[in-house]
Amino acid sequence: MADYPEFSVTTDLVVLTVRGAALQVLLVRRGIEPFRGAWALPGGFVLAGEDLDTAAVRELREETGLTAPGGHLEQLATYGEPGRDPRGRVVTVAYLALLPDLPTPVAGSDAASADWVTLPAGELAFDHARILADGVERARAKLEYTPLATAFCPPEFTISELREVYETVWGATLDPRNFHRKVTSTPGFVEPVGRSVAAERGRPAQLFRRGPTRLLHPPMLRPAS
Amino acid sequence: MADYPEFSVTTDLVVLTVRGAALQVLLVRRGIEPFRGAWALPGGFVLAGEDLDTAAVRELREETGLTAPGGHLEQLATYGEPGRDPRGRVVTVAYLALLPDLPTPVAGSDAASADWVTLPAGELAFDHARILADGVERARAKLEYTPLATAFCPPEFTISELREVYETVWGATLDPRNFHRKVTSTPGFVEPVGRSVAAERGRPAQLFRRGPTRLLHPPMLRPAS
DNA sequence: GCAAAAGTGTTCGCCTTACACCCATGA
DNA sequence: TCATGGGTGTAAGGCGAACACTTTTGC
């Protein structure tokens, strides 16, 4: 063991949400060098005796004040190119988090300042632009064959809200009628709550909550580019 | 940086191949403690100044003597649970490699001994059984929507050979006629070489090589379980 | 009633499936 | 000529895309 090089290990988070009609990512302004003042993904060093997943959850809570109830957190990929951090040899295990649009704004507790930024998000510190791009691509792909779009929604939601998530993340427009039928006919995707909610205009929409299925059969199909 | 804990980083490889009608994984017998004498995934420590991908390619070459020409190598996932290595805090970046059934047997150059083991592969050192399971699941899923099955085949192959790869990895039987039509009609999946090869019995089969497509439209469908 | 959004019915065409059938070779 | 595997034709059924149509609300 002593013959081999030592690394620092960090977890960085690609935290995505859908607000209005925009896909947004949680970014922090770096308060220290390197890249002081630049936007970066939230994250930090893994502590001794701490699991990688635990570190990611802790960073998410520290940066956003949330524990992702109803949200989703998964490992994305690991980045370890020798020159990627000027401070030394740092390996970053990136995580992807999908959260509903929470009324609580970001409380930058220990970060200099944190904010939601609409994509595309311009220049980022380190290789975070690439990590962000990988996370967005993963999210787009996973909407097809998993019910993870519900992670962007509150616990109870309408089919239209769910459709807006798909349209925002994919940057496409979907037929409301066929989307409704597809979602409600896919076993275990959503379950009716039994109540309705009045919209600003038009017929009230039924409320649904997420179903038990973790994999969609058949998958939702992204329109041809 | 000095305030944060130091880690060792390794790359471990899930190297899969299809031989005969069996899905096999490359395993090594550990020559040193811990887990001396047990089967383990090939791999080793990342060197100073070495990229993670580069380390994976190096380990693959050192353990198998191959540079995976025509094969496939991708990052799988990262495992960093505190107690997973009794020697200390080790984070392992796992890679998945898909290789054709090479005439060259495994040359265990610096490993104690390496061999192909038919799945399922019993007890493994560390948490390698879980890493292996993750790799097999990734391979099964990727055959659906990518042309990676060709990574298990030699540069030129018949449609029947490709079908045997699918059948072996999925553990399912596929209709030869429909499989042939599906593969040859999916744009960019395979390209005809123009030559044929005589089989032991029956009509000679046309040879194909892999096409340029990286994503299958439409995907190959796994039969309902 | 009218506008607007929710939700249903129906048709068309493509793709999968199942399987009949023909082709090319060795014995 | 027969057995065997390679490859094509074709009809039935399922599903997605498109869109007409009905339902339920606010004004």
Side-chain angles (χ1 to χ4, degrees), chain B residues 11 13 50-68 73 95:
Chain B
T11 60
L13 290 151
E50 185 182 42
D51 191 18
L52 300 176
D53 291 8
T54 307
V57 171
R58 175 177 56 78
E59 297 288 349
L60 178 63
R61 187 179 58 243
E62 289 179 4
E63 308 273 3
T64 70
L66 327 157
T67 52
L73 184 67
Y95 280 76

Side-chain angles (χ1 to χ4, degrees), chain B residues 10-17 24-28 41-45 50-74 93-100 102 104-111 114 116 151:
Chain B
T10 68
T11 60
D12 286 348
L13 290 151
V14 177
V15 186
L16 300 179
T17 196
Q24 301 195 322
V25 60
L26 182 70
L27 296 179
V28 298
L41 298 175
F45 289 92
E50 185 182 42
D51 191 18
L52 300 176
D53 291 8
T54 307
V57 171
R58 175 177 56 78
E59 297 288 349
L60 178 63
R61 187 179 58 243
E62 289 179 4
E63 308 273 3
T64 70
L66 327 157
T67 52
H72 173 78
L73 184 67
E74 69 175 39
V93 184
Y95 280 76
L96 175 66
L98 310 182
L99 297 184
L102 297 139
T104 317
V106 175
S109 60
D110 70 2
W116 294 107

Side-chain angles (χ1 to χ4, degrees), chain B:
Chain B
M1 294 281 287
D3 302 356
Y4 295 102
E6 303 278 320
F7 296 74
S8 296
V9 177
T10 68
T11 60
D12 286 348
L13 290 151
V14 177
V15 186
L16 300 179
T17 196
V18 172
R19 304 182 95 182
L23 180 60
Q24 301 195 322
V25 60
L26 182 70
L27 296 179
V28 298
R29 282 262 183 219
R30 286 186 59 79
I32 58 169
E33 295 295 343
F35 296 100
R36 183 189 186 107
W39 286 114
L41 298 175
F45 289 92
V46 178
L47 306 180
E50 185 182 42
D51 191 18
L52 300 176
D53 291 8
T54 307
V57 171
R58 175 177 56 78
E59 297 288 349
L60 178 63
R61 187 179 58 243
E62 289 179 4
E63 308 273 3
T64 70
L66 327 157
T67 52
H72 173 78
L73 184 67
E74 69 175 39
Q75 194 182 298
L76 177 59
T78 298
Y79 304 82
E81 201 186 342
R84 61 179 295 277
D85 191 320
R87 293 168 295 182
R89 196 64 204 278
V90 178
V91 166
T92 287
V93 184
Y95 280 76
L96 175 66
L98 310 182
L99 297 184
D101 173 17
L102 297 139
T104 317
V106 175
S109 60
D110 70 2
S113 66
D115 214 342
W116 294 107
V117 175
T118 299
L119 294 175
E123 298 286 314
L124 297 181
F126 305 105
D127 52 0
H128 287 189
R130 185 191 160 198
I131 299 175
L132 172 57
D134 290 348
V136 170
E137 188 47 44
R138 171 82 66 92
R140 286 196 173 123
K142 281 221 156 188
L143 288 209
E144 290 199 67
Y145 58 95
T146 71
L148 283 189
T150 58
F152 285 118
C153 296
E156 300 188 345
F157 52 87
T158 66
I159 301 296
S160 286
E161 288 174 332
L162 187 63
R163 177 169 49 83
E164 282 163 22
V165 167
Y166 275 94
E167 292 183 332
T168 300
V169 176
W170 283 350
T173 60
L174 304 173
D175 185 297
R177 289 85 51 117
N178 292 333
F179 182 87
H180 185 284
R181 193 188 350 251
K182 179 76 181 271
V183 168
T184 52
S185 70
T186 298
F189 191 177
V190 297
E191 294 176 339
V193 170
R195 288 178 288 107
S196 297
V197 64
E200 292 188 7
R201 290 185 301 280
R203 174 177 171 175
Q206 283 193 282
L207 285 172
F208 294 82
R209 64 173 144 265
R210 84 182 55 177
T213 295
R214 307 315 298 165
L215 242 40
L216 259 28
H217 291 295
M220 304 296 291
L221 292 182
R222 208 178 336 190
S225 65

